[in-house]
Amino acid sequence: QGGWSKHPGMPEALSEKLKGYLGISWYAAKIKIPENLKGKEVYLIFEELDESCQVYVNGKMAGEHNLNDPIYYRYSFSIRIDQCFNGVDEQMIVIRVINTTGDGGICKPVRIAVER
């Protein structure tokens, strides 16, 4: 938990270099979509992200979240991603995070949710 300089397992030297970094970071992961979620509205739920982001799924922009006031990074938000699925089980998720103040990044886990 914490900004990009506080991720578990990050080498201390890199963590020190990232303290106070202002700019852009990229996160990427492949996720497997279970059969029972196909055809449903699927969302990424961000519990805490500092400060703004764009979410890409399989190279297509799924959505973005722009923070107008730096204090609001502590509020959760969601971005729908199913409209970018490519028909196979594994989907490539890429998140571009933009930070202009303090220690930024994905500060708490991101989870997947489905609208029932």
Side-chain angles (χ1 to χ4, degrees):
Q1 289 193 359
W4 42 50
S5 70
K6 298 177 184 114
H7 279 257
M10 180 179 288
E12 191 174 328
L14 180 56
S15 179
E16 283 299 314
K17 286 182 181 182
L18 290 174
K19 281 185 182 173
Y21 168 72
L22 303 178
I24 297 170
S25 66
W26 294 85
Y27 298 80
K30 284 186 179 179
I31 62 168
K32 220 170 199 177
I33 302 300
E35 197 64 39
N36 63 335
L37 298 186
K38 292 183 179 171
K40 296 187 178 181
E41 291 183 13
V42 180
Y43 296 83
L44 287 181
I45 308 295
F46 293 83
E47 295 299 326
E48 188 175 310
L49 181 139
D50 191 4
E51 108 197 24
S52 298
C53 74
Q54 297 166 331
V55 174
Y56 298 88
V57 179
N58 301 314
K60 298 177 195 166
M61 169 93 88
E64 60 187 324
H65 177 75
N66 291 313
L67 193 59
N68 295 325
D69 185 337
I71 188 113
Y72 292 115
Y73 76 90
R74 292 185 175 135
Y75 293 95
S76 66
F77 64 92
S78 64
I79 293 180
R80 186 175 172 191
I81 61 172
D82 61 282
Q83 73 277 19
C84 298
F85 289 172
N86 61 10
V88 298
D89 290 341
E90 249 185 14
Q91 310 299 317
M92 184 62 171
I93 309 291
V94 176
I95 302 166
R96 179 180 185 251
V97 177
I98 304 102
N99 182 53
T100 60
T101 60
D103 195 24
I106 297 174
C107 302
K108 291 187 178 176
V110 178
R111 59 187 168 88
I112 297 174
V114 178
E115 185 172 28
R116 295 180 186 240

